[in-house]
Amino acid sequence: MFNKLLIANRGEIAVRIIRTCRRLGIRTVAVFSEADRDGMHVSMADEAYCIGPARPDLSYLNISNLLSVAHITKCDAIHPGYGFLSENPTFSEITQKCGFAFVGPSHRAIERMGQKSVARDLMHRSGVPILPGSPNSLENPDEAQEIANSIGYPVLIKASAGGGGRGMRLCENKDQFKNLFLNATGEAKSAFGDGRVYLEKYLAEPRHIEIQVFGDTFGNVLVLGERECSIQRRHQKLIEEAPSPAISDEIRKKMYETAIKAVKAIEYVNAGTIEFLLDKNGNFYFMEMNTRLQVEHPVTEMIWGIDMVELQLRIASGEKIPYAQEELHPRGWAIECRINAEDVTNNFTPSPGRITQFIVPGGPWVRVDSAAYPNYFVSPSYDSMIAKLIVWAPTRSEAINRMATALREFRIDGIKTTIPFQLFVMKNHDFADGLFSTKFVETNSPAFLAQYNPETPQNSLFMVSEGK
Ligand code: MV4
C-alpha cells in the first residue's frame, strides 16, 4: 500500500479521500488555490501546498504544479477525485511516467471512453446494447442528414468529445437537421476544440441508471450494483439512490452481466461507471462510461458496506480485489441529496457567499460528506455543491422518511440552498411510488414554486419557537 498520497482536488471529495487515508495509515498531501486557504482539506491533510490562484486552469488543473508538489513531498501516488483532471488522459499518463501511481484507470481507457462515439462503438462490439445511431465523426452535413433520415426522428446530435449534455442538439424533423447539425459541430468545435459529432435515436423520458464497476490489474471484475440518477436538472444530479426502484431483478441481472462483459472486454482497471438509459419497456442502452469515482458513490458504499476509496487505493497499488462477487450482497436502501448553494426560486442559479450557520443532521444511518463549516465562504470560482447528505434504511419508504427528517434538521444560514426543493421531492407521491424520469425536475418545478414561501423555510426544525 502507498506511504503518501497527493490529492489533486478540493472540497468534500478531498476530505473524503483524506478520511480513508487516515484510517489506512497513508500520509496525505493537499494542494489548494489562493481561494481555498481556509479549505477543510487543507487543515485535515498532513501537509498542504498552494499551487496557484483561484482560477482552476492556473491551480487545480495545472499539471506541472501538481507533479512538482508530488515530487518534492515524496508522494508515491496521486488521487484525482472527480472533476478537474480526473478524466484527463494526459494527467493519468504523465503521473505514471513520472513514477507515481495514478488512482484511476490508464490513460488509454480514459481516452477511449472520453471519445463518446468511440466508447459507443467499443461497447457495441463487446455486446452492450446501444440505441440506433451513426458511426463516429460525421463531417459532411448532407451525409449526416441521410443517416438521420434513416434512423428516424427525433434524433439527438451529440458531440464526440462531449459528455454530460454539452454540445447536444435535439432534432425533431428533417427540416431542422442541417441547421442543428451546424450548430452542434460549431459548439463542439469551440467548447472542446473537436467538432466531431455522432447521431443517436432520441429516447423520450428515459431513466438514468448507472452501474458501478471495478476492475483490478489481474483481470478480476466486481459489480457494486446500480444507482438511480434520474432526478437531475441541467445535467446536474440532485438526488441519487441505490438500488433503483425502476428495475426488476431480471433486468438488474441483465444489466450486471452486460456491465461485466464490457469491463472485461476493455480490460478496465479501477473504479468506473457505466451509464444506461432505460426506456418504459425495460430496455436499456449504453450512454456513457465515467472513468472516475463519482460524486454519488456513497449510496453504493452504504448498501454494499464497502469503502470505495479504499478499494480504489488497493487496486492502484497492485492488490487484487479482496472480495468475490458471490460473497457480496447489497442490503437495504440509500438516498443521497446533493446540497448545492443555489437559488431554487431562480432556476437553480448559484448562490455563493458566506455560510453563517452550519449545523449538520445526525442520528442512526445519517451521513454528511462536506467540507463546509460555520463562517465558511462558498467561492463563486468552484462548483456550488456544499454537502452531500446520505441516509440508509432497510426499505425505500423508511429511507425517504429518514431523508426528509434529516433535511429538516440541516441548518445552513447565509446562503440559499437546494434543501427546500429536495424536501419537496421527499414528500412527492410520484417520487414515493418510484414513478419518475429525467423530466421530473422540469415537470415538478411549477408545483414546487407554487407552494414555496422563502419567508417560512420548511426545512428548519430550529425555527419552532412557540412554547419555548
Ligand atoms: C440521450 C437522451 C435520450 N436519448 N440520448 C444527457 C447527457 C448526456 N450524457 C446524454 N444525455 C441524454 N442522452 C438518447 N439517445 C437523453 C439524455 C438526457 C438525459 C440523460 C440522463 C439524465 C438526464 C438527462 C436529461 C436530458 C437529456
PDB file of all heavy atoms in Angstrom, residues 131 156 158 163-165 168 200-204 206 208 229-230 232 235 275 277 287-288 438, ligand 1:
ATOM      1  N   LEU A 131     -28.406   2.436 -28.684  1.00  0.00           N
ATOM      2  CA  LEU A 131     -29.519   2.925 -29.485  1.00  0.00           C
ATOM      3  C   LEU A 131     -29.080   3.006 -30.945  1.00  0.00           C
ATOM      4  O   LEU A 131     -27.893   3.148 -31.227  1.00  0.00           O
ATOM      5  CB  LEU A 131     -29.945   4.313 -28.993  1.00  0.00           C
ATOM      6  CG  LEU A 131     -30.793   4.277 -27.718  1.00  0.00           C
ATOM      7  CD1 LEU A 131     -30.649   5.577 -26.942  1.00  0.00           C
ATOM      8  CD2 LEU A 131     -32.257   3.990 -28.029  1.00  0.00           C
ATOM      9  N   LEU A 156     -30.900  12.713 -31.720  1.00  0.00           N
ATOM     10  CA  LEU A 156     -30.011  13.572 -30.928  1.00  0.00           C
ATOM     11  C   LEU A 156     -28.674  13.680 -31.637  1.00  0.00           C
ATOM     12  O   LEU A 156     -28.120  12.674 -32.055  1.00  0.00           O
ATOM     13  CB  LEU A 156     -29.773  12.973 -29.542  1.00  0.00           C
ATOM     14  CG  LEU A 156     -30.560  13.475 -28.341  1.00  0.00           C
ATOM     15  CD1 LEU A 156     -30.029  12.808 -27.083  1.00  0.00           C
ATOM     16  CD2 LEU A 156     -30.511  14.981 -28.188  1.00  0.00           C
ATOM     17  N   LYS A 158     -24.938  14.477 -30.917  1.00  0.00           N
ATOM     18  CA  LYS A 158     -24.082  14.528 -29.729  1.00  0.00           C
ATOM     19  C   LYS A 158     -22.632  14.786 -30.118  1.00  0.00           C
ATOM     20  O   LYS A 158     -22.137  14.212 -31.089  1.00  0.00           O
ATOM     21  CB  LYS A 158     -24.146  13.191 -28.965  1.00  0.00           C
ATOM     22  CG  LYS A 158     -25.513  12.883 -28.347  1.00  0.00           C
ATOM     23  CD  LYS A 158     -25.442  11.601 -27.532  1.00  0.00           C
ATOM     24  CE  LYS A 158     -26.742  11.384 -26.761  1.00  0.00           C
ATOM     25  NZ  LYS A 158     -26.656  10.188 -25.887  1.00  0.00           N
ATOM     26  N   GLY A 163     -20.166  14.974 -23.506  1.00  0.00           N
ATOM     27  CA  GLY A 163     -20.496  14.221 -22.304  1.00  0.00           C
ATOM     28  C   GLY A 163     -21.221  15.155 -21.372  1.00  0.00           C
ATOM     29  O   GLY A 163     -21.056  16.377 -21.448  1.00  0.00           O
ATOM     30  N   GLY A 164     -22.056  14.564 -20.500  1.00  0.00           N
ATOM     31  CA  GLY A 164     -22.809  15.373 -19.556  1.00  0.00           C
ATOM     32  C   GLY A 164     -23.690  16.415 -20.228  1.00  0.00           C
ATOM     33  O   GLY A 164     -24.030  17.421 -19.632  1.00  0.00           O
ATOM     34  N   GLY A 165     -24.075  16.157 -21.500  1.00  0.00           N
ATOM     35  CA  GLY A 165     -25.052  17.021 -22.143  1.00  0.00           C
ATOM     36  C   GLY A 165     -24.482  18.217 -22.892  1.00  0.00           C
ATOM     37  O   GLY A 165     -25.227  18.950 -23.528  1.00  0.00           O
ATOM     38  N   MET A 168     -24.956  19.130 -27.239  1.00  0.00           N
ATOM     39  CA  MET A 168     -26.013  18.203 -27.659  1.00  0.00           C
ATOM     40  C   MET A 168     -27.149  19.000 -28.311  1.00  0.00           C
ATOM     41  O   MET A 168     -27.469  20.085 -27.857  1.00  0.00           O
ATOM     42  CB  MET A 168     -26.537  17.482 -26.409  1.00  0.00           C
ATOM     43  CG  MET A 168     -26.898  16.044 -26.612  1.00  0.00           C
ATOM     44  SD  MET A 168     -27.139  15.168 -25.043  1.00  0.00           S
ATOM     45  CE  MET A 168     -28.540  15.996 -24.352  1.00  0.00           C
ATOM     46  N   GLU A 200     -27.789   9.779 -32.536  1.00  0.00           N
ATOM     47  CA  GLU A 200     -28.425   8.688 -31.809  1.00  0.00           C
ATOM     48  C   GLU A 200     -29.929   8.906 -31.820  1.00  0.00           C
ATOM     49  O   GLU A 200     -30.393  10.040 -31.666  1.00  0.00           O
ATOM     50  CB  GLU A 200     -27.915   8.698 -30.358  1.00  0.00           C
ATOM     51  CG  GLU A 200     -27.661   7.317 -29.785  1.00  0.00           C
ATOM     52  CD  GLU A 200     -26.948   7.382 -28.453  1.00  0.00           C
ATOM     53  OE1 GLU A 200     -27.536   7.907 -27.493  1.00  0.00           O
ATOM     54  OE2 GLU A 200     -25.801   6.914 -28.382  1.00  0.00           O
ATOM     55  N   LYS A 201     -30.665   7.844 -31.990  1.00  0.00           N
ATOM     56  CA  LYS A 201     -32.124   7.899 -31.863  1.00  0.00           C
ATOM     57  C   LYS A 201     -32.458   8.467 -30.482  1.00  0.00           C
ATOM     58  O   LYS A 201     -31.882   8.047 -29.482  1.00  0.00           O
ATOM     59  CB  LYS A 201     -32.683   6.478 -32.002  1.00  0.00           C
ATOM     60  CG  LYS A 201     -34.184   6.379 -31.828  1.00  0.00           C
ATOM     61  CD  LYS A 201     -34.894   6.444 -33.155  1.00  0.00           C
ATOM     62  CE  LYS A 201     -36.403   6.505 -32.978  1.00  0.00           C
ATOM     63  NZ  LYS A 201     -37.031   7.194 -34.128  1.00  0.00           N
ATOM     64  N   TYR A 202     -33.378   9.428 -30.437  1.00  0.00           N
ATOM     65  CA  TYR A 202     -33.714  10.073 -29.164  1.00  0.00           C
ATOM     66  C   TYR A 202     -34.741   9.257 -28.392  1.00  0.00           C
ATOM     67  O   TYR A 202     -35.776   8.862 -28.934  1.00  0.00           O
ATOM     68  CB  TYR A 202     -34.277  11.474 -29.426  1.00  0.00           C
ATOM     69  CG  TYR A 202     -34.732  12.198 -28.182  1.00  0.00           C
ATOM     70  CD1 TYR A 202     -33.819  12.631 -27.235  1.00  0.00           C
ATOM     71  CD2 TYR A 202     -36.087  12.465 -27.964  1.00  0.00           C
ATOM     72  CE1 TYR A 202     -34.228  13.302 -26.095  1.00  0.00           C
ATOM     73  CE2 TYR A 202     -36.505  13.144 -26.824  1.00  0.00           C
ATOM     74  CZ  TYR A 202     -35.575  13.558 -25.898  1.00  0.00           C
ATOM     75  OH  TYR A 202     -35.981  14.225 -24.774  1.00  0.00           O
ATOM     76  N   LEU A 203     -34.444   9.026 -27.132  1.00  0.00           N
ATOM     77  CA  LEU A 203     -35.341   8.290 -26.253  1.00  0.00           C
ATOM     78  C   LEU A 203     -36.027   9.306 -25.345  1.00  0.00           C
ATOM     79  O   LEU A 203     -35.355  10.007 -24.586  1.00  0.00           O
ATOM     80  CB  LEU A 203     -34.505   7.302 -25.433  1.00  0.00           C
ATOM     81  CG  LEU A 203     -35.179   6.156 -24.728  1.00  0.00           C
ATOM     82  CD1 LEU A 203     -35.849   5.234 -25.733  1.00  0.00           C
ATOM     83  CD2 LEU A 203     -34.142   5.359 -23.941  1.00  0.00           C
ATOM     84  N   ALA A 204     -37.356   9.405 -25.427  1.00  0.00           N
ATOM     85  CA  ALA A 204     -38.077  10.401 -24.626  1.00  0.00           C
ATOM     86  C   ALA A 204     -38.271   9.891 -23.200  1.00  0.00           C
ATOM     87  O   ALA A 204     -38.538   8.716 -22.990  1.00  0.00           O
ATOM     88  CB  ALA A 204     -39.430  10.710 -25.259  1.00  0.00           C
ATOM     89  N   PRO A 206     -36.405   9.052 -20.565  1.00  0.00           N
ATOM     90  CA  PRO A 206     -35.738   7.830 -20.090  1.00  0.00           C
ATOM     91  C   PRO A 206     -35.433   7.936 -18.605  1.00  0.00           C
ATOM     92  O   PRO A 206     -35.583   9.001 -18.006  1.00  0.00           O
ATOM     93  CB  PRO A 206     -34.422   7.849 -20.871  1.00  0.00           C
ATOM     94  CG  PRO A 206     -34.106   9.309 -21.022  1.00  0.00           C
ATOM     95  CD  PRO A 206     -35.442  10.016 -21.122  1.00  0.00           C
ATOM     96  N   HIS A 208     -32.240   7.377 -15.934  1.00  0.00           N
ATOM     97  CA  HIS A 208     -30.786   7.283 -15.944  1.00  0.00           C
ATOM     98  C   HIS A 208     -30.384   6.304 -14.846  1.00  0.00           C
ATOM     99  O   HIS A 208     -30.569   6.591 -13.667  1.00  0.00           O
ATOM    100  CB  HIS A 208     -30.185   8.675 -15.707  1.00  0.00           C
ATOM    101  CG  HIS A 208     -28.696   8.683 -15.529  1.00  0.00           C
ATOM    102  ND1 HIS A 208     -27.899   9.693 -15.995  1.00  0.00           N
ATOM    103  CD2 HIS A 208     -27.858   7.815 -14.929  1.00  0.00           C
ATOM    104  CE1 HIS A 208     -26.635   9.440 -15.693  1.00  0.00           C
ATOM    105  NE2 HIS A 208     -26.587   8.310 -15.042  1.00  0.00           N
ATOM    106  N   CYS A 229     -30.295   7.715 -11.020  1.00  0.00           N
ATOM    107  CA  CYS A 229     -29.856   9.125 -11.033  1.00  0.00           C
ATOM    108  C   CYS A 229     -30.756   9.989 -11.899  1.00  0.00           C
ATOM    109  O   CYS A 229     -30.297  10.927 -12.557  1.00  0.00           O
ATOM    110  CB  CYS A 229     -28.428   9.228 -11.532  1.00  0.00           C
ATOM    111  SG  CYS A 229     -27.255   8.270 -10.575  1.00  0.00           S
ATOM    112  N   SER A 230     -32.048   9.692 -11.929  1.00  0.00           N
ATOM    113  CA  SER A 230     -32.935  10.399 -12.858  1.00  0.00           C
ATOM    114  C   SER A 230     -33.328  11.791 -12.382  1.00  0.00           C
ATOM    115  O   SER A 230     -33.786  12.603 -13.188  1.00  0.00           O
ATOM    116  CB  SER A 230     -34.204   9.564 -13.098  1.00  0.00           C
ATOM    117  OG  SER A 230     -33.855   8.326 -13.701  1.00  0.00           O
ATOM    118  N   GLN A 232     -32.499  15.072 -11.943  1.00  0.00           N
ATOM    119  CA  GLN A 232     -31.443  15.998 -12.328  1.00  0.00           C
ATOM    120  C   GLN A 232     -32.054  17.273 -12.862  1.00  0.00           C
ATOM    121  O   GLN A 232     -33.191  17.318 -13.271  1.00  0.00           O
ATOM    122  CB  GLN A 232     -30.626  15.450 -13.497  1.00  0.00           C
ATOM    123  CG  GLN A 232     -30.411  13.988 -13.559  1.00  0.00           C
ATOM    124  CD  GLN A 232     -29.210  13.659 -14.452  1.00  0.00           C
ATOM    125  OE1 GLN A 232     -28.725  14.508 -15.192  1.00  0.00           O
ATOM    126  NE2 GLN A 232     -28.729  12.440 -14.348  1.00  0.00           N
ATOM    127  N   HIS A 235     -28.458  18.637 -16.375  1.00  0.00           N
ATOM    128  CA  HIS A 235     -27.435  17.588 -16.355  1.00  0.00           C
ATOM    129  C   HIS A 235     -26.641  17.551 -15.065  1.00  0.00           C
ATOM    130  O   HIS A 235     -25.563  16.967 -15.001  1.00  0.00           O
ATOM    131  CB  HIS A 235     -26.508  17.690 -17.572  1.00  0.00           C
ATOM    132  CG  HIS A 235     -27.284  17.672 -18.864  1.00  0.00           C
ATOM    133  ND1 HIS A 235     -28.037  16.601 -19.253  1.00  0.00           N
ATOM    134  CD2 HIS A 235     -27.447  18.608 -19.822  1.00  0.00           C
ATOM    135  CE1 HIS A 235     -28.624  16.871 -20.392  1.00  0.00           C
ATOM    136  NE2 HIS A 235     -28.293  18.080 -20.761  1.00  0.00           N
ATOM    137  N   GLU A 275     -23.091   4.117 -17.657  1.00  0.00           N
ATOM    138  CA  GLU A 275     -24.400   4.785 -17.626  1.00  0.00           C
ATOM    139  C   GLU A 275     -25.319   4.193 -18.683  1.00  0.00           C
ATOM    140  O   GLU A 275     -24.930   4.066 -19.845  1.00  0.00           O
ATOM    141  CB  GLU A 275     -24.250   6.280 -17.921  1.00  0.00           C
ATOM    142  CG  GLU A 275     -23.422   7.049 -16.925  1.00  0.00           C
ATOM    143  CD  GLU A 275     -23.412   8.553 -17.212  1.00  0.00           C
ATOM    144  OE1 GLU A 275     -23.827   8.981 -18.313  1.00  0.00           O
ATOM    145  OE2 GLU A 275     -22.978   9.295 -16.330  1.00  0.00           O
ATOM    146  N   LEU A 277     -29.415   4.334 -20.351  1.00  0.00           N
ATOM    147  CA  LEU A 277     -30.743   4.918 -20.436  1.00  0.00           C
ATOM    148  C   LEU A 277     -31.723   3.752 -20.429  1.00  0.00           C
ATOM    149  O   LEU A 277     -31.516   2.772 -21.146  1.00  0.00           O
ATOM    150  CB  LEU A 277     -30.912   5.715 -21.730  1.00  0.00           C
ATOM    151  CG  LEU A 277     -30.100   7.012 -21.855  1.00  0.00           C
ATOM    152  CD1 LEU A 277     -30.267   7.604 -23.247  1.00  0.00           C
ATOM    153  CD2 LEU A 277     -30.527   8.021 -20.796  1.00  0.00           C
ATOM    154  N   MET A 287     -25.046   4.629 -22.557  1.00  0.00           N
ATOM    155  CA  MET A 287     -24.987   6.065 -22.830  1.00  0.00           C
ATOM    156  C   MET A 287     -23.546   6.557 -22.780  1.00  0.00           C
ATOM    157  O   MET A 287     -23.027   7.072 -23.754  1.00  0.00           O
ATOM    158  CB  MET A 287     -25.867   6.823 -21.846  1.00  0.00           C
ATOM    159  CG  MET A 287     -25.922   8.318 -22.071  1.00  0.00           C
ATOM    160  SD  MET A 287     -27.265   9.136 -21.183  1.00  0.00           S
ATOM    161  CE  MET A 287     -26.950   8.685 -19.492  1.00  0.00           C
ATOM    162  N   GLU A 288     -22.891   6.405 -21.633  1.00  0.00           N
ATOM    163  CA  GLU A 288     -21.509   6.865 -21.458  1.00  0.00           C
ATOM    164  C   GLU A 288     -20.847   6.020 -20.389  1.00  0.00           C
ATOM    165  O   GLU A 288     -21.535   5.409 -19.574  1.00  0.00           O
ATOM    166  CB  GLU A 288     -21.475   8.320 -20.948  1.00  0.00           C
ATOM    167  CG  GLU A 288     -21.729   9.364 -22.007  1.00  0.00           C
ATOM    168  CD  GLU A 288     -21.850  10.766 -21.431  1.00  0.00           C
ATOM    169  OE1 GLU A 288     -21.312  11.041 -20.350  1.00  0.00           O
ATOM    170  OE2 GLU A 288     -22.501  11.592 -22.105  1.00  0.00           O
ATOM    171  N   THR A 438     -36.079  11.396 -16.176  1.00  0.00           N
ATOM    172  CA  THR A 438     -35.164  12.542 -16.182  1.00  0.00           C
ATOM    173  C   THR A 438     -35.915  13.867 -16.372  1.00  0.00           C
ATOM    174  O   THR A 438     -35.326  14.923 -16.276  1.00  0.00           O
ATOM    175  CB  THR A 438     -34.115  12.381 -17.299  1.00  0.00           C
ATOM    176  OG1 THR A 438     -34.790  12.105 -18.520  1.00  0.00           O
ATOM    177  CG2 THR A 438     -33.175  11.224 -16.993  1.00  0.00           C
TER     178      THR A 438
HETATM  179  C1  MV4 B   1     -29.858  10.790 -24.573  1.00  0.00           C
HETATM  180  C2  MV4 B   1     -31.196  11.040 -24.199  1.00  0.00           C
HETATM  181  C3  MV4 B   1     -32.185  10.459 -24.947  1.00  0.00           C
HETATM  182  N1  MV4 B   1     -31.874   9.693 -25.999  1.00  0.00           N
HETATM  183  N2  MV4 B   1     -29.590  10.013 -25.618  1.00  0.00           N
HETATM  184  C4  MV4 B   1     -27.871  13.764 -21.420  1.00  0.00           C
HETATM  185  C5  MV4 B   1     -26.466  13.876 -21.006  1.00  0.00           C
HETATM  186  C6  MV4 B   1     -25.681  13.019 -21.897  1.00  0.00           C
HETATM  187  N3  MV4 B   1     -24.886  12.144 -21.091  1.00  0.00           N
HETATM  188  C7  MV4 B   1     -26.664  12.256 -22.715  1.00  0.00           C
HETATM  189  N4  MV4 B   1     -27.973  12.686 -22.319  1.00  0.00           N
HETATM  190  C8  MV4 B   1     -29.065  12.163 -22.889  1.00  0.00           C
HETATM  191  N5  MV4 B   1     -28.841  11.333 -23.921  1.00  0.00           N
HETATM  192  C9  MV4 B   1     -30.588   9.487 -26.322  1.00  0.00           C
HETATM  193  N6  MV4 B   1     -30.311   8.732 -27.375  1.00  0.00           N
HETATM  194  C10 MV4 B   1     -31.439  11.869 -23.114  1.00  0.00           C
HETATM  195  C11 MV4 B   1     -30.379  12.440 -22.460  1.00  0.00           C
HETATM  196  C12 MV4 B   1     -30.738  13.296 -21.365  1.00  0.00           C
HETATM  197  C13 MV4 B   1     -30.531  12.898 -20.047  1.00  0.00           C
HETATM  198  C14 MV4 B   1     -29.916  11.692 -19.723  1.00  0.00           C
HETATM  199  C15 MV4 B   1     -29.721  11.313 -18.439  1.00  0.00           C
HETATM  200  C16 MV4 B   1     -30.130  12.156 -17.423  1.00  0.00           C
HETATM  201  C17 MV4 B   1     -30.723  13.353 -17.679  1.00  0.00           C
HETATM  202  C18 MV4 B   1     -30.924  13.746 -18.993  1.00  0.00           C
HETATM  203  C19 MV4 B   1     -31.543  14.956 -19.264  1.00  0.00           C
HETATM  204  C20 MV4 B   1     -31.752  15.329 -20.568  1.00  0.00           C
HETATM  205  C21 MV4 B   1     -31.332  14.501 -21.605  1.00  0.00           C
END
